[in-house]
Every structure is written in structure tokens, then in C-alpha cells.
Amino acid sequence: YVLCKILALGGITRGEYVGGSFYLTMLIAIKALFKYIVICFFPFVLTHNHIISSGISSFGQDDFDKYKVMAQSIFDLNTFIPFLMLLSLVALAVIYYRKNRLISFAIGWYFLALLPVSNIIPSGVLFGERYLYPGLLGFALMVGVLFDYAYNKNKIYAISLIVLLITTGFYVVRTLIRNADWKNEIALMESAVKANPQSALMRNDLGLIYTKNSRNEDA
């Protein structure tokens, strides 16, 4: 990954650490990693510039609330709780290494796939749905393991099938709804502003697209 990045971009960094601080960037990374997990289960808001926490978005440091950035602490509940949850998943992978290596593999794959974009080396993007694509294999594998456990091990046939159908139906419908946001650039940016209404950057981009499409009053 590093080699490909050097060959394509001429370096391994894009941008700087948030607030010029590795520590502050890693606090955001903890919240971002936890948000990746949440969005897998509850993909209600899908956009290209997510709100990671109050005043902090996926990208555009100039758009951040600088007070919220600098006031971050590992002991804040919105950082400490995600940190504990991530540690719990790592502990689960270690515990199940001998009992069921498929669980350890699924968890390991998920987090290793996100490691290159965790901003240990600053990339300028703190969260991106597209970064989940490789890691979703681990998520889907874990869901499959749980389904197998319920269906084949515990013989909960009817409930397992109902849950599977509901889950599959939910993701299909959510995908179709999200596809509607991509029908044109106006719809896409309007959905981005709706998802992150406090972002001046998103409103500016929407204004430019309105102007491009001769909707000057809206712009």
C-alpha cells in the first residue's frame, strides 16, 4: 500500500495531522473506527462527509470547530467509550483465536483493512465509506458465523431465517434509497448538506453546483 501510494502520489502523506497533533488525530481516529462499526449495522446516514463528532467531519480541517478539536481528551465519554468497545473487539479476537479462528479472522480482517486509512500517516480524510469496502468482507463473514451458530448449532431455524430475510431486505432497500442520491450532482450535494448541515464546505459546494446549473437564486 505504501509503495503504491509513493508511486502514484510521490509520497505517503496527504495533508497534515489535525491541529498539527498526532494525539488529537488519533482521538478522532478512535471515534472514526467506532463509527465504521456503527455504520455497518445502522447505515441510516450515508454521505461523503460524515460528522465524526460534534464540530469534526470526514475532511476539510478549515471547516472544523477548532475549539472542539483542541478540547478533545481520551477521557471524554464520546472517545473513551468507543476506545473501550474497540479494545473489547480486539480482546474477543484474542479469546476466540483457539476456540473459533474464523471469528478472530473476521475481526482481524476488518481492522487490518482499515489500518492504512486510520491516519497514522495523515491522509487528509478521516472517515470514508469507500474505505469500508475491503473490511466489509470481515463484517459479512462475522454475520455468517453468527447465522451458522444460530441455525446449525442451536437449531433456531425459523427465527434465524426471519432475521436473515429482514436483514437482507433492510440492506437492499437502504442501497436503493442511497442510489437515488446519485441520480445527479444536485441530488448528491443536497443529500450531503442534509447529512452535515453545519458544514460551510458542503453548503459552498452545493452553491457552486446550483450556479453551474443556472439556479442562481438557490445558490
Side-chain angles (χ1 to χ4, degrees):
Y1 173 82
V2 172
L3 178 61
C4 288
K5 200 165 186 179
I6 291 172
L7 293 176
L9 302 175
I12 59 174
T13 64
R14 287 177 58 201
E16 301 174 347
Y17 291 118
V18 179
S21 168
F22 176 79
Y23 170 69
L24 293 175
T25 304
M26 289 301 98
L27 293 182
I28 298 174
I30 289 171
K31 287 177 276 195
L33 283 172
F34 183 68
K35 189 175 181 70
Y36 280 121
I37 297 171
V38 172
I39 205 173
C40 286
F41 288 98
F42 309 106
F44 298 120
V45 177
L46 297 177
T47 183
H48 62 281
N49 192 16
H50 279 267
I51 299 173
I52 298 175
S53 65
S54 178
I56 302 173
S57 304
S58 296
F59 57 85
Q61 290 193 39
D62 292 340
D63 203 29
F64 293 177
D65 183 327
K66 291 180 174 55
Y67 173 77
K68 296 290 178 63
V69 171
M70 302 306 293
Q72 290 182 101
S73 168
I74 188 64
F75 300 108
D76 292 336
L77 288 181
N78 66 341
T79 306
F80 191 66
I81 292 176
F83 181 66
L84 288 181
M85 295 297 292
L86 293 172
L87 279 182
S88 298
L89 285 172
V90 173
L92 187 68
V94 173
I95 291 170
Y96 273 89
Y97 181 71
R98 294 188 181 278
K99 296 179 182 179
N100 189 333
R101 291 192 176 185
L102 208 53
I103 292 177
S104 298
F105 177 83
I107 295 173
W109 180 282
Y110 185 85
F111 285 110
L112 284 174
L114 289 171
L115 184 63
V117 293
S118 61
N119 278 275
I120 295 172
I121 298 172
S123 68
V125 179
L126 298 159
F127 183 95
E129 291 168 8
R130 62 191 182 278
Y131 295 154
L132 262 178
Y133 297 159
L136 280 174
L137 174 61
F139 174 74
L141 181 59
M142 177 65 81
V143 172
V145 169
L146 294 175
F147 176 77
D148 176 69
Y149 181 80
Y151 189 85
N152 292 320
K153 302 293 194 304
N154 286 354
K155 312 299 182 183
I156 311 174
Y157 300 120
I159 295 177
S160 299
L161 288 173
I162 290 172
V163 171
L164 181 64
L165 288 173
I166 291 174
T167 303
T168 303
F170 168 72
Y171 285 119
V172 168
V173 171
R174 187 64 189 94
T175 300
L176 293 174
I177 293 173
R178 177 57 173 159
N179 283 346
D181 294 336
W182 289 82
K183 63 183 177 182
N184 57 57
E185 59 184 0
I186 293 177
L188 180 62
M189 284 311 305
E190 285 179 338
S191 71
V193 169
K194 183 179 179 181
N196 195 344
Q198 298 303 313
S199 172
L201 178 63
M202 292 297 95
R203 290 185 179 276
N204 182 70
D205 287 351
L206 177 59
L208 291 173
I209 288 173
Y210 279 149
T211 302
K212 176 183 174 184
N213 288 272
S214 302
R215 291 175 56 174
N216 296 331
E217 190 67 28
D218 292 328

